[in-house]
Amino acid sequence: EKFKDGLSKTRNSFVGAMNELMMDYRTVDEEFFEELEEILIAADVGVNTVMELVDELREEALRRNIKESKNIQPLITEKLSELLIKSDEETQINMQQGELTVILVVGVNGVGKTTTIGKMAKRFKDDGNKVMMAAGDTFRAGAIEQLEVWGERAGVDVIKQQAGSDPAAVMYDAVKSAKSKNADVLICDTAGRLQNKVNLMKELEKVKRVLTREIPDAPHEVLLVLDATTGQNAMTQAKIFQEVTDVTGIVLTKLDGTAKGGIVMAIRTELDIPVKYVGLGEGMDDLQEFIPEQYVNGLFS
Ligand code: GDP
């Protein structure tokens, strides 16, 4: 239900256009496929993905001898799902059973990084984990305080130092503290300055080095937060972060605020990073694990 509500803007525009295309028992011809391409591109599905998808549909329609638009709808749903579920790759968080799981959260300011960390903390806690947060964005004014507000809301401790201090030192403290308190999950905020790629890379490397020294395979996840409403900008950010660090998963925020929810598809297929969570609102509980089938169903039903 959450998924359906959160995707309503996308559904209304995307499915509206799709329904129009499917109406009138249209013949599935070249003109039909071109219109379909336009609709998918308008939903930010991503040009390459759309081309790939529509080519496959063309072939499959021919193979199955589908001539009327009403008969091609299930095939479209099927192909969209296939694209999202490309492999057996986990969309779940790589949790360390019985040991501390360290999650590094990266992303540009304003995308919803702090909110996402707060929501994640709440989720993990609700699942019965002892959760802690590390205030690793020591650069942006107010970032530490904002994280503390979320900490209070979620009932989760925040490890911090003063503004301007070395993020790696904060991480060192945080891991030590999380280990000594037998925490299950440590969620680490980081600074989101993309202006200086080299500095960001150095900072993240240093942070990771500190974590790895304390726990050999930490961080267990590096989640990149992207704002769905920024469309192709989000894709550009993702490409830069991929150069800067090993991103293991994406959190796509503000999916509720866009009619272009097709961006999920572009991210999944063009960046080859799994989407692990989606943000569907500003509230504490508005973070959902990304389940491809639910997403596709949320679009069409
Ligand atoms: P940060 O600078 O990346 O840490 O961004 P914030 O966490 O401060 O979020 C920026 C704004 O986006 C805030 O007003 C949040 O309430 C809002 N926001 C974050 N996630 C979502 C979401 O999934 N849906 C909506 N509608 N708003 C969101």
Side-chain angles (χ1 to χ4, degrees), residues 26-37 54-55 58:
R26 277 186 56 170
T27 311
V28 175
D29 52 12
E30 196 39 42
E31 200 186 316
F32 174 89
F33 284 118
E34 275 167 26
E35 267 180 52
L36 178 62
E37 274 176 7
V54 174
D55 277 347
R58 271 198 196 91

Side-chain angles (χ1 to χ4, degrees), residues 107-116 119 137 140 146 150 189 225 227 252-257 278-283 286-287:
V108 175
N109 292 335
V111 293
K113 188 154 50 80
T114 316
T115 307
T116 297
K119 289 171 174 175
D137 185 355
R140 181 170 69 89
Q146 205 189 334
W150 277 102
D189 193 10
V225 183
D227 177 344
L252 196 61
T253 62
K254 310 185 198 180
L255 209 50
D256 55 305
V278 290
L280 298 170
E282 293 186 279
D286 296 330
L287 184 77

Side-chain angles (χ1 to χ4, degrees), residues 43-259:
D44 259 358
V45 172
V47 178
N48 296 338
T49 309
V50 171
M51 295 303 173
E52 193 184 320
L53 177 75
V54 174
D55 277 347
E56 279 182 30
L57 282 172
R58 271 198 196 91
E59 280 175 29
E60 198 68 26
L62 206 63
R63 201 175 310 138
R64 297 193 199 178
N65 203 17
I66 295 172
K67 296 213 168 74
E68 280 179 4
S69 60
K70 72 172 161 62
N71 296 327
I72 205 168
Q73 168 89 55
L75 191 59
I76 296 174
T77 316
E78 188 186 313
K79 288 284 165 200
L80 284 174
S81 308
E82 266 177 31
L83 275 179
L84 282 168
I85 314 161
K86 253 192 175 170
S87 62
D88 295 336
E89 206 163 22
E90 289 284 348
T91 54
Q92 280 172 5
I93 297 295
N94 173 23
M95 292 291 277
Q96 307 300 296
Q97 290 309 323
E99 278 169 57
L100 180 63
T101 302
V102 182
I103 302 171
L104 204 60
V105 184
V106 302
V108 175
N109 292 335
V111 293
K113 188 154 50 80
T114 316
T115 307
T116 297
I117 293 172
K119 289 171 174 175
M120 278 172 61
K122 169 79 165 30
R123 276 195 82 96
F124 285 121
K125 198 184 168 208
D126 285 350
D127 288 342
N129 296 292
K130 180 166 173 57
V131 185
M132 291 173 76
M133 304 196 266
D137 185 355
T138 58
F139 184 79
R140 181 170 69 89
I144 300 169
E145 292 76 12
Q146 205 189 334
L147 198 66
E148 284 187 299
V149 170
W150 277 102
E152 268 167 40
R153 269 185 217 160
V156 163
D157 284 345
V158 178
I159 304 300
K160 55 160 190 178
Q161 289 184 7
Q162 67 206 43
S165 58
D166 183 353
V170 178
M171 295 307 165
Y172 180 79
D173 273 1
V175 172
K176 287 279 188 206
S177 174
K179 277 165 92 176
S180 76
K181 289 184 176 147
N182 280 324
D184 301 298
V185 186
L186 175 65
I187 310 173
C188 308
D189 193 10
T190 60
R193 287 169 291 161
L194 257 198
Q195 292 83 348
N196 191 330
K197 214 166 91 177
V198 176
N199 277 354
L200 180 68
M201 192 182 303
K202 280 187 187 154
E203 182 166 318
L204 290 175
E205 268 171 13
K206 193 172 170 194
V207 161
K208 283 171 91 173
R209 228 174 13 248
V210 166
L211 295 173
T212 310
R213 208 188 304 142
E214 297 304 313
I215 303 173
D217 51 355
H220 304 98
E221 292 277 359
V222 179
L223 298 183
L224 170 62
V225 183
L226 297 173
D227 177 344
T229 64
T230 62
Q232 290 308 307
N233 254 340
M235 297 293 285
T236 308
Q237 285 168 21
K239 282 174 189 152
I240 296 173
F241 271 96
Q242 268 185 314
E243 289 167 23
V244 167
T245 188
D246 294 319
V247 178
T248 60
I250 298 228
V251 181
L252 196 61
T253 62
K254 310 185 198 180
L255 209 50
D256 55 305
T258 177

